[in-house]
Amino acid sequence: MRILIVEDDQPTAEALTTLLSHCSYAVETTADGESAAELVAAFEYDLLLLDVMLPKLDGITLCRQLRNQGHTMPILLLTGQGNSHDKAVGLDAGADDYVVKPFDLEELEARIRALLRRGHLHTTPILEWSRIQLDPSSSQVSYHQQPLALTPKEYALLELLMRNPRRVFSCGMLLEHLWTYEDMPGEEAVRTHIKGLRHKLRDADAPPDIIETVYGIGYRLKPLAELETEEPSFEQENQAAIANIWQRYQSRISKQVQVLEQASTACQTHQGHLDPKHQQQAEQEAHTLAGALGMFGMHDGTQLARQIEQLLAMPKPLAIEHIEQFAHQVKTLRHAIDQYGPASPTDVIDSLPPLPSLLVIDGDRDWLADLTAQARHWDWSVQTVTDLDAAQMALTQDSPQVILIDPAVANHKDQTITFLDKVNHHIPPIPVLFYGAPDGLHSRLEVARLGGKAYLEKPIAPIQVLHEVDRVLHQSQAITAKILIVDDDPHLLQLLPSLLEPWGFKVSTLADSRLFWQTLVTVAPDLLILDVEMPHVSGMELCQIVRNDAYWYNLPIIFLTAHTEAETVNQIFALGADDFVSKPVVGPELVVRLVNRLERMQLSQQLWQVDTLTKAYKRQPAMSRLEQMIKRAQDLQQALSLVLVKVANLRQINSDFDLETGDAILRQVGYALCQGCGQDDVVARWSSNEFLIGLDGVQADDAEHHIQHLCQNYLQAHPLASDAVPVHLNLGVAQYPEAGVTLSALYNAANCHWIMRQTDDD
Amino acid sequence: MTAKCILVVDNELYIQEVVQIALETINNWRVITASSGAEGLLKAEKEHPDVILLDMMMPDMDGATTFQKLQANPLTQKIPVLLLTAKIQATDQKRYQALGVHATISKPFDPLQLPTQIADVLGWQL
C-alpha cells in the first residue's frame, strides 16, 4: 500500500516514514501542499497523511481540492491544534479522520489500518481469501492455519491483492503501489516476488495458481468460486460421494418402498391380513429403510419407515384405522423418496442448474394453484404469497428472479410503492410484472411509473402469463456480459469494476492501449468501453481496428469521453461506435446508463440471435460465434471441443404425445445445457432436434464428461423425461484441431464419434 | 495413525458403500465388505480385520448367528465386533450386550460422525 505523507516538519516526517516503512507500506514524503497536489495528480496513492498547516497550500484547502477533483483515497489529517472547529472544517473538506499532535504512534498505525480497510470496503479486521488469512494488525499470514514467513515485499504484495480481491494488477500497477518512485525496480522484481510468494503458498499446500496470472494483463487472486471447486473439503467430498450413492441406488430404494406398497395393498384387500411372505419381506425392507434413510440426511424418511415397521409388527388382522395409517405412511414415504435428493456440494457445477424462481403475489388461491401446476412444465419453481408482508419476507430470503403482482393485494397504493421501492433497490435487479383488472391507460401508466416491465389484464390464462414471464426473464438474464474497459485513467479503472460487477458483469480493465489486441483475444468481451483520448493508441483508432477485423467487427462499443461537442460525437459515430457516455459521470448514473445501453443492445441482438423456444443461439449467429472461437483457439493455440447433443426420438415423441410435449423436452434440454455451460461457451440449436455446444479451452475428454453428466442428470432427475416420456439423447464429441480445423469438419466428426447413443435417429 | 482394516458385513450394497466412504476418509483405514453372514465369516478368517461392523438383520444368516460363529472360531474370536442395528430399544441393547458384542452402533448413523464413533468405542487415536 502506498502512502503519501505531506508534512513540513522534517523530524515528524522522518519519524512517520520510519514507522510506516516498518509496517511494510511504501512511503513518500513532501513538505508543501502544492507539490502534494502535483504528486497526487501524477501517481496513485492508497492513503494521504496530511498536515493542516503547510506552506504554499494548506492541508484543508488541498483536501477540498482533491475531493473536488474526484480523488477518493482515504485522507488522514495531522493537526497540532486541539481546536474542534478546525477538525470539523477538515472533516467537512472531505478528510476521513484526524489525529492530534503529538500523537501516539500505535494509535496512528491503527487509524491508518482502519482507513485502508474502510477505503476498500472491508469490514473484517483479518483479511481472508480461501484459506489464506492475513492479519494487518500483527502482519501475520497463514494458509489453512499454517503460518507463512513472508518477506516485507511479499507481505505487501499479498495484502494489496487481498484488499482488492477482484482486481487484476499489472506489473506496472504493482510497482506503483509497492515501491516509491525513487527506488522503483524493473518489472522483473515483481515477477520475482510473485514467484517467491507462490512458492511459499505452495509449500503450505495452497493451489499453485492461487495467485493467478491473467494472460496479457497481470496478476490477481484466483476467484473463490474456482478455488472452492478445486479444493473440496473432506466433508464436501464425503457429501458428494454419498449423494452419488443415493443417485445410483435410488431405483433399489424405490423397489424397497414398492414392497411396502404391495404389502399395504394386500392388507387393504385382505381386511388387515398379510401372508407370511409379504409380512417378512415388508418387515425386512421397512427395517432396512429405517436404518438407512437417515444416512442420506433423510430423517423424516427414517421416522416413517420406523412407524411402518411398528405397524407391521402388530398382531394381524390390523384394525381399519391401522390399515389406513399404513397406507397413508407408505404413500408419504413414496412421495418423500421421489422428491428427495441429498445436497451435494458439486451440484452447483455438475448437475442440474437451479430452477428459475418466480414470486407470485395474488389473493386468488385457485388461480395460484393453476399457475403453479402449469409452471412445473416450464421447469420453474413458484412461490406464492397472498399479501405484501409475506412478499417482503420472500424477497429477502429467496431472491426470486421475476415477480408477478396483482396490485389489488395491497390495502393502499403506498404499500405497493414501498414494496416496489425495495424491489428496485435489489441487486441484481428483479423484473416485476403486473396483472390485474382492466381499467385502461391509467393502470398502464401507473405501472410504468412504478418501474413494472409489463401489464397484463385479467382474466388471463396461466399459460399466457408464463409466456410473458419467460420473455421478461430472458430479457433480464441477457444483461450478464463480459466487458472490457480500455482507459488510461487508473481511478476510472478502479471505480468501474466495483460499480459494474455487482450487476453481474464480468469486467476486465486495460490501461495500456498498446496491449489491446492480445487482451481483446484473451478476454473475448461482449462489449467494449473505450476512452477517446489515450497515449500511444487512441480509442478512436482502436474502434477502427475492431471494425476492420473480420471476426470482431460487430462487437458493441461504447465510448467514454469528456468531449461532447458535436464534431467529436459525429466522428465517434462515424467510426462505428454504438454509443457514448460523457465524462465525468456520477457513479450511479453511469451504471444506469450502461445497463440501459446493454439491455437494449442485447435485446436487439437477441431478437435475431436466440431461439425463442430453447433460449440457445440460433444456427446462423452461433456459426459466427463458433468460428470466432475456432480462430481464438488457433491464435492462442489452445483446445476447443464441440459436442453434439441430439434428441434422437423427437419425431416419435411428437407423434406419440403431441407437439407441445416435444417442445417442452427441447426447452428443458436447452435450459439444462445453457445453464450447465459457462459464459464463454456457445450452446446452439443446430437443427430441429440437435444442439451443438462449443466449449472453449476444454479437451474432448473433459467436454465429453461434462455434457454427458448434464444429460444424464437431466434424464434421471427430470420427471417428464424419466417417467412419462422416454427421451433418448445421443452425444457426439470432436476436438479442435485433431478432429478438424473448420466448423463443418468438426460438426461432421462429432456426428460420427458417438460417446452416448441411446437410439438411432427416428 | 496406525493402519486399520475394517470389515463391514451388510446385505445392502448402498449401506456398505456409505460406510466405506465414511471410513476411508481417515488415512490408513481400509474397508473390506461382505454381503452376507457366510461371506463375512470367510473374510474375517482370511483378512483378519481390526474390527467387524456387523448388520443385525440379514436374510439367511442373521447378525446374532454370524457373531456366534465368529466367537466359535479361534481365528476370529478375538476380533472386536460392533453391531450395526436399527433396533434401538433398551431391551434390544441388553440382548446384544448379553451376546458379548463389543458395542452397538445405531442405524441410521451420521456418515461424518461414524469414524469418531468407532474410534471412541475401540480407543483408537484419530
Side-chain angles (χ1 to χ4, degrees):
Chain A
M1 309 300 278
R2 195 171 187 182
I3 296 178
L4 178 65
I5 300 171
V6 193
E7 171 62 79
D8 57 332
D9 178 44
Q10 209 181 341
T12 310
E14 276 175 19
L16 287 170
T17 309
T18 311
L19 169 79
L20 298 177
S21 305
H22 187 68
C23 300
S24 302
Y25 298 116
V27 182
E28 279 167 32
T29 55
T30 185
D32 67 82
E34 273 181 11
S35 63
E38 282 164 16
L39 283 169
V40 171
F43 303 101
E44 199 177 339
Y45 296 97
D46 299 294
L47 184 137
L48 241 64
L49 213 52
L50 193 58
D51 188 19
V52 172
M53 302 292 286
L54 288 170
K56 296 186 186 169
L57 183 67
D58 71 88
I60 298 210
T61 313
L62 173 62
C63 185
R64 191 173 294 122
Q65 198 173 305
L66 291 175
R67 292 303 188 221
N68 288 341
Q69 288 165 356
H71 293 283
T72 56
M73 82 289 271
I75 298 178
L76 179 60
L77 284 181
L78 302 172
T79 165
Q81 304 153 349
N83 184 330
S84 60
H85 175 72
D86 280 350
K87 289 168 204 160
V89 170
L91 293 177
D92 282 347
D96 295 272
D97 200 356
Y98 62 88
V99 283
V100 181
K101 290 180 189 172
F103 40 75
D104 179 67
L105 289 178
E106 209 172 317
E107 186 197 337
L108 180 74
E109 201 190 317
R111 297 267 181 113
I112 289 175
R113 272 202 310 272
L115 282 181
L116 286 172
R117 273 202 303 275
R118 205 190 303 164
H120 293 80
L121 300 176
H122 278 278
T123 49
T124 49
I126 292 180
L127 306 175
E128 282 184 68
W129 191 255
S130 179
R131 292 173 176 172
I132 308 178
Q133 282 199 332
L134 184 146
D135 183 354
S137 62
S138 63
S139 304
Q140 296 288 314
V141 181
S142 65
Y143 182 84
H144 207 201
Q145 276 102 45
Q146 198 175 325
L148 302 182
L150 303 184
T151 64
K153 272 291 179 265
E154 286 165 353
Y155 173 87
L157 181 58
L158 186 62
E159 185 186 8
L160 182 69
L161 293 175
M162 289 182 78
R163 285 193 191 277
N164 302 275
R166 285 187 194 157
R167 197 171 155 192
V168 182
F169 286 90
S170 65
C171 279
M173 286 153 87
L174 290 173
L175 283 169
E176 276 188 24
H177 276 275
L178 302 175
W179 278 270
T180 57
Y181 61 82
E182 289 97 355
D183 66 352
M184 202 174 280
E187 292 190 351
E188 195 48 44
V190 173
R191 284 192 273 274
T192 309
H193 287 294
I194 291 268
K195 203 172 152 190
L197 189 52
R198 279 178 175 160
H199 189 71
K200 286 176 185 173
L201 282 162
R202 200 173 48 226
D203 284 351
D205 290 332
D209 56 348
I210 194 161
I211 296 174
E212 198 178 43
T213 305
V214 182
Y215 178 73
I217 305 177
Y219 302 96
R220 68 165 176 185
L221 291 173
K222 187 163 191 157
L224 281 181
E226 292 173 35
L227 282 169
E228 275 155 16
T229 311
E230 285 170 13
E231 285 188 275
S233 65
F234 277 135
E235 285 83 0
Q236 286 174 326
E237 279 176 359
N238 232 329
Q239 278 173 12
I242 288 166
N244 181 279
I245 295 176
W246 172 270
Q247 292 211 328
R248 282 189 290 118
Y249 285 96
Q250 217 172 357
S251 61
R252 162 73 190 134
I253 292 166
S254 177
K255 277 186 190 142
Q256 292 180 307
V257 180
Q258 207 177 340
V259 171
L260 301 180
E261 285 167 336
Q262 283 162 355
S264 165
T265 312
C267 222
Q268 284 169 322
T269 320
H270 303 293
Q271 288 81 42
H273 286 282
L274 262 184
D275 66 69
K277 190 180 150 214
H278 269 127
Q279 169 80 27
Q280 196 208 343
Q281 273 185 347
E283 264 190 87
Q284 169 82 40
E285 302 302 12
H287 181 84
T288 307
L289 289 170
L293 293 176
M295 287 183 330
F296 297 102
M298 200 179 165
H299 301 290
D300 293 352
T302 277
Q303 273 316 105
L304 281 166
R306 202 168 273 155
Q307 286 162 5
I308 293 169
E309 194 185 359
Q310 282 163 4
L311 279 170
L312 283 164
M314 289 168 88
K316 306 291 175 306
L318 288 180
I320 291 176
E321 72 261 29
H322 289 140
I323 298 173
E324 282 170 3
Q325 208 181 341
F326 184 20
H328 174 72
Q329 282 169 343
V330 171
K331 202 174 158 194
T332 316
L333 182 63
R334 160 63 71 197
H335 182 73
I337 297 271
D338 287 348
Q339 296 294 313
Y340 189 68
S344 157
T346 55
D347 278 355
V348 184
I349 49 155
D350 274 357
S351 60
L352 282 182
L355 300 177
S357 57
L358 177 63
L359 173 64
V360 190
I361 310 154
D362 190 341
D364 182 349
R365 289 179 195 274
D366 292 342
W367 193 87
L368 286 178
D370 278 357
L371 180 82
T372 310
Q374 287 276 356
R376 263 187 230 124
H377 293 291
W378 291 65
D379 263 354
W380 286 345
S381 69
V382 178
Q383 190 180 5
T384 56
V385 292
T386 51
D387 63 73
L388 286 175
D389 291 337
Q392 287 211 11
M393 202 176 287
L395 182 68
T396 326
Q397 288 172 357
D398 305 314
S399 276
Q401 281 160 285
V402 182
I403 295 175
L404 187 62
I405 179 171
D406 177 359
V409 293
N411 300 326
H412 194 268
K413 198 177 123 194
D414 288 351
Q415 209 189 348
T416 317
I417 293 172
T418 314
F419 173 70
L420 289 173
D421 193 45
K422 284 217 163 62
V423 176
N424 289 337
H425 283 89
H426 197 277
I427 295 177
I430 306 172
V432 183
L433 283 87
F434 286 76
Y435 70 120
D439 58 355
L441 182 67
H442 182 67
S443 299
R444 290 173 189 275
L445 197 59
E446 282 286 306
V447 164
R449 283 181 184 150
L450 293 170
K453 287 273 180 185
Y455 187 84
L456 312 169
E457 283 184 0
K458 276 186 172 179
I460 185 167
I463 189 82
Q464 280 174 279
V465 173
L466 291 171
H467 272 293
E468 193 56 26
V469 171
D470 186 54
R471 185 185 69 78
V472 170
L473 181 72
H474 285 92
Q475 252 180 44
S476 74
Q477 280 179 348
I479 201 68
T480 313
K482 279 190 291 180
I483 300 179
L484 173 63
I485 305 169
V486 190
D487 199 310
D488 62 324
D489 176 358
H491 295 296
L492 200 77
L493 290 189
Q494 193 169 3
L495 176 72
L496 287 183
S498 62
L499 283 175
L500 297 175
E501 277 166 358
W503 294 78
F505 298 117
K506 207 170 157 191
V507 182
S508 305
T509 57
L510 177 68
D512 185 346
S513 55
R514 287 171 296 181
L515 300 173
F516 174 73
W517 197 253
Q518 66 210 73
T519 312
L520 178 77
V521 174
T522 313
V523 175
D526 299 299
L527 184 140
L528 190 59
I529 296 179
L530 294 176
D531 184 17
V532 173
E533 283 184 337
M534 284 185 287
H536 311 299
V537 189
S538 77
M540 292 202 196
E541 286 166 321
L542 292 181
C543 180
Q544 264 178 309
I545 295 171
V546 172
R547 293 293 179 243
N548 289 342
D549 185 80
Y551 291 99
W552 294 104
Y553 69 94
N554 59 356
L555 180 69
I557 299 177
I558 292 181
F559 273 94
L560 290 180
T561 173
H563 305 280
T564 50
E565 61 277 4
E567 196 188 337
T568 314
V569 173
N570 284 341
Q571 206 182 344
I572 289 171
F573 281 113
L575 287 171
D578 293 279
D579 198 0
F580 79 94
V581 176
S582 57
K583 283 193 203 176
V585 198
V586 188
E589 186 196 337
L590 176 64
V591 172
V592 172
R593 294 191 59 180
L594 280 177
V595 168
N596 283 342
R597 302 284 176 211
L598 276 163
E599 249 177 3
R600 281 187 214 144
M601 270 183 221
Q602 294 204 343
L603 187 62
S604 65
Q605 280 186 358
Q606 249 200 343
L607 288 175
W608 69 274
Q609 287 199 336
V610 174
D611 174 43
T612 45
L613 176 67
T614 62
K615 308 299 176 220
Y617 280 106
K618 288 179 190 169
R619 183 189 165 104
Q620 204 58 37
M623 277 172 82
S624 115
R625 290 224 161 206
L626 288 167
E627 274 162 4
Q628 274 182 23
M629 231 181 203
I630 293 173
K631 175 81 168 44
R632 255 160 49 78
Q634 189 187 357
D635 289 349
L636 301 174
Q637 297 201 332
Q638 66 178 23
L640 161 69
S641 295
L642 284 196
V643 185
L644 181 65
V645 176
K646 203 178 269 201
V647 183
N649 61 335
L650 182 68
R651 200 179 299 170
Q652 194 65 40
I653 294 171
N654 284 338
S655 73
D656 288 356
F657 299 88
D658 50 25
L659 289 174
E660 278 194 9
T661 308
D663 281 354
I665 300 289
L666 285 170
R667 186 168 51 235
Q668 290 160 0
V669 173
Y671 180 74
L673 293 173
C674 288
Q675 296 297 307
C677 292
Q679 276 185 22
D680 296 334
D681 308 324
V682 171
V683 180
R685 186 166 175 206
W686 206 247
S687 69
S688 62
N689 68 336
E690 285 178 333
F691 293 89
L692 190 63
I693 303 141
L695 296 163
D696 211 6
V698 178
Q699 303 279 347
D701 285 353
D702 294 335
E704 179 181 321
H705 175 77
H706 181 61
I707 303 295
Q708 195 169 11
H709 194 70
L710 287 179
C711 289
Q712 276 168 349
N713 271 334
Y714 165 73
L715 291 172
Q716 279 170 12
H718 205 284
L720 199 55
S722 51
D723 292 344
V725 187
V727 178
H728 297 152
L729 298 180
N730 291 352
L731 251 82
V733 68
Q735 181 175 316
Y736 168 90
E738 288 78 1
V741 291
T742 62
L743 185 54
S744 60
L746 287 165
Y747 169 79
N748 288 337
N751 206 1
C752 299
H753 182 205
W754 297 108
I755 46 167
M756 180 169 124
R757 192 173 170 86
Q758 296 189 321
T759 191
D760 291 337
D761 287 12
D762 57 13
Chain B
M1 204 182 314
T2 51
K4 302 286 181 197
C5 174
I6 297 145
L7 170 63
V8 181
V9 187
D10 197 312
N11 61 307
E12 276 305 335
L13 291 181
Y14 61 84
I15 296 181
Q16 287 180 15
E17 282 200 39
V18 173
V19 174
Q20 187 157 20
I21 279 163
L23 299 186
E24 288 190 346
T25 51
I26 308 295
N27 277 342
N28 292 335
W29 283 22
R30 184 170 65 94
V31 174
I32 52 174
T33 56
S35 301
S36 65
E39 191 188 351
L41 293 175
L42 276 175
K43 287 201 171 165
E45 198 177 301
K46 199 172 155 214
E47 304 276 341
H48 207 80
D50 296 286
V51 64
I52 298 170
L53 302 189
L54 182 60
D55 181 32
M56 196 58 199
M57 199 158 166
M58 291 185 290
D60 303 326
M61 190 193 293
D62 68 8
T65 315
T66 311
F67 177 69
Q68 279 156 357
K69 292 192 184 234
L70 285 167
Q71 291 293 292
N73 183 344
L75 290 172
T76 56
Q77 66 185 181
K78 288 195 177 144
I79 304 172
V81 174
L82 305 183
L83 272 191
L84 283 176
T85 170
K87 298 250 182 193
I88 49 155
Q89 281 97 342
T91 46
D92 292 323
Q93 194 85 359
K94 279 187 186 156
R95 194 158 61 84
Y96 299 142
Q97 275 165 7
L99 279 175
V101 296
H102 204 92
T104 53
I105 289 181
S106 307
K107 277 187 184 176
F109 52 81
D110 176 351
L112 293 177
Q113 297 300 324
L114 190 62
T116 321
Q117 266 179 292
I118 293 174
D120 285 351
V121 166
L122 298 170
W124 292 353
Q125 293 291 314
L126 273 184

